[in-house]
Amino acid sequence: MNEHPTSAPAAPARSAGVPSGGAGQGERDTRARVARLILEHGPITASGLGERIGLTPAAIRRHLDALLAEGMIETREARSQKSRGRGRPAKWFAITDAGRSAFVHAYDDLATSALRFLAETAGEQAVTRFARRQIADLERRYHPVVKGAPPQQRLRTLAEALSGDGYAAATAKAPWPGGGEQLCQHHCPVAHVAAEFPQLCEAETEAFGRLLGLPVQRLATIAHGDGICTTHVSSRSLCEGEPADGPDIDDEESGRTSL
């Protein structure tokens, strides 16, 4: 799907898809890398994984079999029905909900309970203000990096910044007429919380529009059951001369009520 994948560093949290016993540290680390690559670039074939990670087909198969047995990944039907000649069609491997959850979600229950309490005692608008305030910190860090990049490179720069924070982000050309690009986030550290409180996704989308200075539209989210968080970014050539969508960071922050 992604034309220009941007790799994210290995997550510092507990390794995904690693059995509790039977494998040495080196095996566990490699298996975690395989699971991470499937999270970032899946669905993907065994040969595609081997090329990215530099393992033999036998080694890749060993790790895939272990991850399948643990329920961390699943197989998918081939994307194309084109003839591959003789032999069985290649299998595609994708992360499961269990595999995705194994990376980060240590504080989901606490965060969800806290936001429920905030909504019950101060109202839904308080949750919205909280979400915008949280995203403002991320936006403030990304602002000089993204704005300092050439206009045509800003989306790629934003994806790299997000990947540095564990979102496993990449960019791709929009697959429909009219141009534009897509920002694809293969991992969301707060997906379980955002499933109940979509204000987190909404605040993030607003921040993307301000950082890029372009109209953006969220098409899919992991929080709502989609495999990837996908945001469409309008073509810059079609938006020349239009003002940035949304207020400046300082104006947005000044209008907030501290929680």
Side-chain angles (χ1 to χ4, degrees):
M1 174 180 175
N2 302 325
E3 288 189 1
H4 310 294
T6 304
S7 298
R14 59 182 175 138
S15 297
V18 178
S20 57
Q25 185 62 45
E27 285 281 295
R28 291 196 297 269
D29 289 346
T30 302
R31 196 165 301 165
R33 288 183 62 199
V34 172
R36 180 77 182 193
L37 283 171
I38 296 173
L39 171 71
E40 294 178 11
H41 304 293
I44 188 171
T45 62
S47 61
L49 284 166
E51 292 174 1
R52 289 180 181 275
I53 206 170
L55 291 179
T56 64
I60 281 291
R61 175 58 59 185
R62 184 173 69 252
H63 291 299
L64 290 173
D65 287 344
L67 291 168
L68 284 167
E70 295 166 3
M72 309 302 282
I73 63 173
E74 62 185 4
T75 58
R76 299 273 181 88
E77 293 182 0
R79 293 173 177 173
S80 175
Q81 299 300 319
K82 292 180 180 179
S83 174
R84 291 172 45 85
R86 295 181 179 179
R88 293 179 297 177
K91 291 183 179 178
W92 295 80
F93 298 90
I95 203 77
T96 62
D97 288 340
R100 193 186 305 279
S101 297
F103 281 92
V104 181
H105 294 310
Y107 300 104
D108 279 357
D109 289 343
L110 178 61
T112 301
S113 296
L115 287 176
R116 284 174 186 161
F117 178 80
L118 183 63
E120 292 169 1
T121 57
E124 293 292 334
Q125 287 301 315
V127 176
T128 299
R129 292 197 299 271
F130 172 82
R132 287 175 174 169
R133 185 168 184 173
Q134 288 296 106
I135 292 298
D137 294 334
L138 177 146
E139 185 177 351
R140 198 173 288 110
R141 287 191 293 108
Y142 291 178
H143 187 270
V145 178
V146 175
K147 294 298 185 182
Q152 298 301 327
Q153 294 296 320
R154 287 177 182 170
L155 182 59
R156 180 82 64 84
T157 301
L158 175 58
E160 292 171 353
L162 286 165
S163 291
D165 280 339
Y167 288 85
T171 65
K173 293 293 185 182
W176 53 72
E181 295 182 273
Q182 289 183 346
L183 175 64
C184 303
Q185 296 161 262
H186 294 261
H187 180 57
C188 175
V190 298
H192 289 178
V193 183
E196 185 169 342
F197 297 98
Q199 294 95 325
L200 296 169
C201 298
E202 294 164 3
E204 182 182 74
T205 305
E206 292 169 0
F208 290 164
R210 290 191 294 270
L211 286 166
L212 297 170
L214 293 169
V216 301
Q217 180 182 6
R218 186 61 62 94
L219 303 178
T221 63
I222 294 172
H224 289 162
D226 300 299
I228 303 172
C229 292
T230 306
T231 305
H232 178 262
V233 181
S234 297
S235 172
R236 187 169 296 275
S237 62
L238 298 178
C239 301
E240 289 181 354
E242 292 187 4
D245 184 21
D248 292 335
I249 295 176
D250 292 340
D251 293 339
E252 177 73 5
E253 183 67 18
S254 64
R256 297 192 184 108
T257 302
S258 299
L259 301 178

Tab-separated table of all heavy atoms in Angstrom, residues 132 139 143 147 203 205-216 242-253 256:
chain	number	residue	atom	x	y	z
A	132	ARG	N	-6.987	18.022	23.033
A	132	ARG	CA	-6.272	19.068	22.294
A	132	ARG	C	-5.019	19.513	23.042
A	132	ARG	O	-3.982	19.813	22.424
A	132	ARG	CB	-7.202	20.261	22.071
A	132	ARG	CG	-8.271	19.994	21.013
A	132	ARG	CD	-9.247	21.135	20.900
A	132	ARG	NE	-10.169	20.936	19.789
A	132	ARG	CZ	-11.248	21.668	19.584
A	132	ARG	NH1	-11.571	22.645	20.441
A	132	ARG	NH2	-12.034	21.432	18.550
A	139	GLU	N	2.411	18.557	18.843
A	139	GLU	CA	2.439	19.525	17.744
A	139	GLU	C	3.562	20.534	17.929
A	139	GLU	O	4.244	20.919	16.973
A	139	GLU	CB	1.086	20.239	17.667
A	139	GLU	CG	0.955	21.192	16.488
A	139	GLU	CD	-0.422	21.825	16.415
A	139	GLU	OE1	-1.319	21.396	17.174
A	139	GLU	OE2	-0.594	22.746	15.599
A	143	HIS	N	6.476	21.040	15.169
A	143	HIS	CA	6.319	22.268	14.384
A	143	HIS	C	7.618	22.742	13.728
A	143	HIS	O	7.644	22.955	12.498
A	143	HIS	CB	5.707	23.364	15.254
A	143	HIS	CG	5.350	24.599	14.509
A	143	HIS	ND1	6.233	25.648	14.339
A	143	HIS	CD2	4.211	24.965	13.857
A	143	HIS	CE1	5.653	26.599	13.641
A	143	HIS	NE2	4.430	26.215	13.337
A	147	LYS	N	7.820	22.463	9.628
A	147	LYS	CA	7.830	23.750	8.940
A	147	LYS	C	9.196	24.074	8.342
A	147	LYS	O	9.290	24.842	7.384
A	147	LYS	CB	7.416	24.860	9.911
A	147	LYS	CG	5.970	24.770	10.390
A	147	LYS	CD	4.982	24.903	9.249
A	147	LYS	CE	3.545	24.937	9.757
A	147	LYS	NZ	2.564	25.029	8.652
A	203	ALA	N	-8.467	15.466	17.608
A	203	ALA	CA	-7.454	16.468	17.936
A	203	ALA	C	-6.176	16.231	17.141
A	203	ALA	O	-5.524	17.178	16.679
A	203	ALA	CB	-7.162	16.441	19.434
A	205	THR	N	-5.956	14.812	14.138
A	205	THR	CA	-6.206	15.195	12.755
A	205	THR	C	-6.133	16.705	12.577
A	205	THR	O	-5.561	17.209	11.599
A	205	THR	CB	-7.590	14.685	12.301
A	205	THR	OG1	-7.668	13.274	12.521
A	205	THR	CG2	-7.818	14.968	10.829
A	206	GLU	N	-6.699	17.444	13.520
A	206	GLU	CA	-6.631	18.909	13.468
A	206	GLU	C	-5.176	19.380	13.489
A	206	GLU	O	-4.794	20.313	12.757
A	206	GLU	CB	-7.387	19.507	14.649
A	206	GLU	CG	-8.895	19.290	14.599
A	206	GLU	CD	-9.577	19.667	15.905
A	206	GLU	OE1	-8.864	20.096	16.847
A	206	GLU	OE2	-10.818	19.530	16.001
A	207	ALA	N	-4.360	18.744	14.316
A	207	ALA	CA	-2.946	19.126	14.414
A	207	ALA	C	-2.212	18.849	13.110
A	207	ALA	O	-1.373	19.647	12.673
A	207	ALA	CB	-2.282	18.380	15.570
A	208	PHE	N	-2.528	17.719	12.441
A	208	PHE	CA	-1.896	17.420	11.161
A	208	PHE	C	-2.198	18.516	10.138
A	208	PHE	O	-1.320	18.937	9.376
A	208	PHE	CB	-2.387	16.076	10.621
A	208	PHE	CG	-1.912	14.881	11.393
A	208	PHE	CD1	-2.529	13.649	11.227
A	208	PHE	CD2	-0.858	14.982	12.280
A	208	PHE	CE1	-2.090	12.540	11.926
A	208	PHE	CE2	-0.412	13.874	13.000
A	208	PHE	CZ	-1.035	12.651	12.822
A	209	GLY	N	-3.425	18.988	10.117
A	209	GLY	CA	-3.792	20.039	9.180
A	209	GLY	C	-3.012	21.313	9.429
A	209	GLY	O	-2.577	21.987	8.483
A	210	ARG	N	-2.839	21.669	10.698
A	210	ARG	CA	-2.097	22.887	11.016
A	210	ARG	C	-0.614	22.737	10.676
A	210	ARG	O	0.007	23.660	10.142
A	210	ARG	CB	-2.274	23.243	12.488
A	210	ARG	CG	-3.680	23.727	12.838
A	210	ARG	CD	-3.729	24.318	14.234
A	210	ARG	NE	-3.490	23.327	15.276
A	210	ARG	CZ	-4.433	22.607	15.868
A	210	ARG	NH1	-5.700	22.732	15.484
A	210	ARG	NH2	-4.130	21.745	16.823
A	211	LEU	N	-0.049	21.580	10.984
A	211	LEU	CA	1.371	21.368	10.713
A	211	LEU	C	1.665	21.393	9.222
A	211	LEU	O	2.681	21.951	8.794
A	211	LEU	CB	1.820	20.034	11.307
A	211	LEU	CG	1.981	19.991	12.826
A	211	LEU	CD1	2.100	18.545	13.309
A	211	LEU	CD2	3.194	20.791	13.259
A	212	LEU	N	0.787	20.805	8.421
A	212	LEU	CA	1.017	20.719	6.985
A	212	LEU	C	0.502	21.937	6.232
A	212	LEU	O	0.900	22.192	5.097
A	212	LEU	CB	0.343	19.458	6.430
A	212	LEU	CG	0.878	18.129	6.972
A	212	LEU	CD1	-0.013	16.976	6.538
A	212	LEU	CD2	2.320	17.901	6.512
A	213	GLY	N	-0.396	22.705	6.879
A	213	GLY	CA	-0.970	23.860	6.207
A	213	GLY	C	-1.849	23.471	5.041
A	213	GLY	O	-1.983	24.222	4.070
A	214	LEU	N	-2.472	22.292	5.131
A	214	LEU	CA	-3.304	21.768	4.047
A	214	LEU	C	-4.564	21.138	4.622
A	214	LEU	O	-4.564	20.681	5.775
A	214	LEU	CB	-2.535	20.703	3.248
A	214	LEU	CG	-1.324	21.167	2.441
A	214	LEU	CD1	-0.551	19.953	1.941
A	214	LEU	CD2	-1.754	22.046	1.274
A	215	PRO	N	-5.635	21.075	3.837
A	215	PRO	CA	-6.825	20.355	4.294
A	215	PRO	C	-6.518	18.861	4.437
A	215	PRO	O	-5.884	18.263	3.562
A	215	PRO	CB	-7.847	20.592	3.179
A	215	PRO	CG	-7.359	21.819	2.462
A	215	PRO	CD	-5.863	21.755	2.533
A	216	VAL	N	-6.964	18.271	5.519
A	216	VAL	CA	-6.769	16.850	5.746
A	216	VAL	C	-8.100	16.212	6.132
A	216	VAL	O	-9.000	16.887	6.636
A	216	VAL	CB	-5.714	16.581	6.841
A	216	VAL	CG1	-4.375	17.182	6.473
A	216	VAL	CG2	-6.190	17.133	8.188
A	242	GLU	N	-4.369	29.134	-0.421
A	242	GLU	CA	-5.354	28.973	0.637
A	242	GLU	C	-4.670	29.081	1.992
A	242	GLU	O	-3.544	28.643	2.160
A	242	GLU	CB	-6.030	27.593	0.533
A	242	GLU	CG	-6.896	27.454	-0.692
A	242	GLU	CD	-7.666	26.149	-0.680
A	242	GLU	OE1	-7.559	25.430	0.332
A	242	GLU	OE2	-8.366	25.871	-1.654
A	243	PRO	N	-5.326	29.656	2.994
A	243	PRO	CA	-4.743	29.748	4.320
A	243	PRO	C	-4.673	28.392	4.980
A	243	PRO	O	-5.397	27.465	4.613
A	243	PRO	CB	-5.727	30.662	5.082
A	243	PRO	CG	-7.029	30.451	4.376
A	243	PRO	CD	-6.668	30.254	2.931
A	244	ALA	N	-3.787	28.229	5.942
A	244	ALA	CA	-3.671	26.980	6.687
A	244	ALA	C	-4.975	26.690	7.399
A	244	ALA	O	-5.662	27.594	7.862
A	244	ALA	CB	-2.513	27.064	7.691
A	245	ASP	N	-5.300	25.415	7.477
A	245	ASP	CA	-6.543	25.006	8.120
A	245	ASP	C	-6.359	24.956	9.625
A	245	ASP	O	-5.595	24.157	10.135
A	245	ASP	CB	-6.948	23.618	7.612
A	245	ASP	CG	-8.291	23.172	8.167
A	245	ASP	OD1	-9.053	24.043	8.584
A	245	ASP	OD2	-8.534	21.958	8.158
A	246	GLY	N	-7.033	25.845	10.351
A	246	GLY	CA	-6.958	25.815	11.806
A	246	GLY	C	-6.131	26.966	12.339
A	246	GLY	O	-5.350	27.598	11.621
A	247	PRO	N	-6.242	27.267	13.609
A	247	PRO	CA	-5.516	28.368	14.219
A	247	PRO	C	-4.068	28.027	14.471
A	247	PRO	O	-3.664	26.864	14.419
A	247	PRO	CB	-6.265	28.565	15.548
A	247	PRO	CG	-6.793	27.201	15.848
A	247	PRO	CD	-7.132	26.594	14.523
A	248	ASP	N	-3.252	29.042	14.725
A	248	ASP	CA	-1.878	28.815	15.109
A	248	ASP	C	-1.851	28.136	16.468
A	248	ASP	O	-2.798	28.192	17.245
A	248	ASP	CB	-1.109	30.148	15.194
A	248	ASP	CG	-0.939	30.761	13.813
A	248	ASP	OD1	-0.968	29.999	12.823
A	248	ASP	OD2	-0.793	31.990	13.726
A	249	ILE	N	-0.721	27.537	16.777
A	249	ILE	CA	-0.602	26.812	18.039
A	249	ILE	C	-0.842	27.743	19.213
A	249	ILE	O	-1.568	27.432	20.145
A	249	ILE	CB	0.792	26.169	18.145
A	249	ILE	CG1	0.960	25.110	17.064
A	249	ILE	CG2	0.970	25.537	19.522
A	249	ILE	CD1	2.330	24.501	17.024
A	250	ASP	N	-0.243	28.937	19.179
A	250	ASP	CA	-0.382	29.861	20.302
A	250	ASP	C	-1.838	30.290	20.478
A	250	ASP	O	-2.347	30.382	21.589
A	250	ASP	CB	0.498	31.099	20.088
A	250	ASP	CG	1.981	30.740	20.175
A	250	ASP	OD1	2.295	29.667	20.769
A	250	ASP	OD2	2.804	31.497	19.657
A	251	ASP	N	-2.526	30.557	19.335
A	251	ASP	CA	-3.933	30.981	19.426
A	251	ASP	C	-4.783	29.850	19.969
A	251	ASP	O	-5.666	30.068	20.789
A	251	ASP	CB	-4.449	31.389	18.030
A	251	ASP	CG	-3.761	32.649	17.529
A	251	ASP	OD1	-3.223	33.382	18.362
A	251	ASP	OD2	-3.775	32.883	16.303
A	252	GLU	N	-4.506	28.618	19.500
A	252	GLU	CA	-5.284	27.481	19.960
A	252	GLU	C	-5.077	27.268	21.443
A	252	GLU	O	-6.010	27.011	22.192
A	252	GLU	CB	-4.853	26.245	19.170
A	252	GLU	CG	-5.522	24.963	19.598
A	252	GLU	CD	-6.958	24.877	19.179
A	252	GLU	OE1	-7.415	25.772	18.468
A	252	GLU	OE2	-7.633	23.937	19.583
A	253	GLU	N	-3.829	27.383	21.888
A	253	GLU	CA	-3.531	27.130	23.302
A	253	GLU	C	-4.124	28.203	24.194
A	253	GLU	O	-4.578	27.922	25.282
A	253	GLU	CB	-1.999	27.073	23.489
A	253	GLU	CG	-1.561	26.747	24.902
A	253	GLU	CD	-1.941	25.312	25.287
A	253	GLU	OE1	-2.206	24.503	24.389
A	253	GLU	OE2	-1.998	25.044	26.509
A	256	ARG	N	-7.722	27.645	25.414
A	256	ARG	CA	-8.049	26.468	26.153
A	256	ARG	C	-8.189	26.763	27.631
A	256	ARG	O	-7.575	27.679	28.149
A	256	ARG	CB	-6.969	25.399	25.981
A	256	ARG	CG	-6.829	24.926	24.536
A	256	ARG	CD	-5.968	23.677	24.509
A	256	ARG	NE	-5.763	23.287	23.103
A	256	ARG	CZ	-4.603	23.437	22.483
A	256	ARG	NH1	-3.585	23.916	23.119
A	256	ARG	NH2	-4.493	23.068	21.226
